[in-house]
Amino acid sequence: MSGRCCKGSRAKSPSLAATFARGRRNRAAGVIVQQAVGRLFFADYAASEESYDAACTLQTWLSAGPLRTFWIRRSGALQTSLDRIMELSRGDMACAHATALAMANIVRSIELMRKLARHGDNLATIEPQDAMARTLRAPARVVREARDGGRAGPIRLRARSLVLLAVESARRQYPDPGFAFFANAWNRCPAHSIVPALLADVWKAARTDVGGCA
């Protein structure tokens, strides 16, 4: 995520836990994640299959090759998706970014957590923080701006420099979940505490849902 820090309290996680506890998947995991993230900004944020499709369209447009990105724009799908996301986000750019782009990695983490929970007695024996650390995934790359200049290791950055960070590659080299968000650095992600806490809460809720080890 980027932009200002998410406001409000943590999103509620029981519905997320239900996507893998006991195998129940009443709604697509992506829709539930999008709603959970949206409710970090607005308590009444209501995601849908359509809003999740809009987020997927934006993600595809950013990562696809030139021909496909041209088609998405030319077809009107890009503008339609932007309009839907911005309407739900009430013009809040941080909310729009979180619910359209950043949440993709939370979806990946939830899917990995679902697989972990279904293997043996993992749900009962693995602690929430450990489950979170095993399944947390970061973006492959993010762009950050050094607004006031500074240093990135041995490299001196001028003010307004743009830096491309290989976040997921860095995360694999360090066991501390905070490193995936550069929690102690100038380029710290605003979600550095929210996402790990959300994933841990999902695991706790899932344990309770299946009969209660929490």
Side-chain angles (χ1 to χ4, degrees), residues 105 108-109 135-142 167-169 171 180-181:
N105 296 295
R108 290 175 60 203
S109 296
T135 58
L136 178 67
R137 294 296 181 270
R141 290 170 296 277
V142 298
V167 185
E168 176 61 13
S169 177
R171 182 200 64 80
F181 301 89

Side-chain angles (χ1 to χ4, degrees), residues 4 11-12 23 27 33 53 72-73 127 165 180 191 209:
R4 63 171 172 72
K12 300 298 183 181
R27 300 179 70 191
V33 169
D53 286 344
I72 293 172
R73 180 187 287 274
E127 293 302 315
L165 303 169
D209 190 62

Side-chain angles (χ1 to χ4, degrees), residues 98-183:
T99 54
L101 304 179
M103 64 125 188
N105 296 295
I106 303 178
V107 174
R108 290 175 60 203
S109 296
I110 291 294
E111 288 299 321
L112 290 170
M113 189 170 277
R114 183 172 65 87
K115 294 177 182 178
L116 183 65
R118 288 184 173 182
H119 184 73
D121 60 351
N122 283 348
L123 190 58
T125 59
I126 296 177
E127 293 302 315
Q129 289 298 317
D130 188 23
M132 176 274 295
R134 293 191 192 192
T135 58
L136 178 67
R137 294 296 181 270
R141 290 170 296 277
V142 298
V143 176
R144 290 289 185 267
E145 179 185 54
R147 294 180 180 177
D148 303 316
R151 301 191 70 85
I155 302 173
R156 182 173 181 81
L157 302 175
R158 296 180 180 180
R160 313 297 293 183
S161 295
L162 293 180
V163 182
L164 182 65
L165 303 169
V167 185
E168 176 61 13
S169 177
R171 182 200 64 80
R172 293 173 185 170
Q173 299 178 46
Y174 295 90
D176 179 8
F179 192 83
F181 301 89
F182 295 95

Side-chain angles (χ1 to χ4, degrees), residues 162-207:
L162 293 180
V163 182
L164 182 65
L165 303 169
V167 185
E168 176 61 13
S169 177
R171 182 200 64 80
R172 293 173 185 170
Q173 299 178 46
Y174 295 90
D176 179 8
F179 192 83
F181 301 89
F182 295 95
N184 299 312
W186 63 271
N187 54 331
R188 179 174 67 184
C189 173
H192 70 280
S193 61
I194 294 172
V195 173
L198 176 62
L199 293 175
D201 282 352
V202 168
W203 192 262
K204 290 177 186 176
R207 295 175 79 178

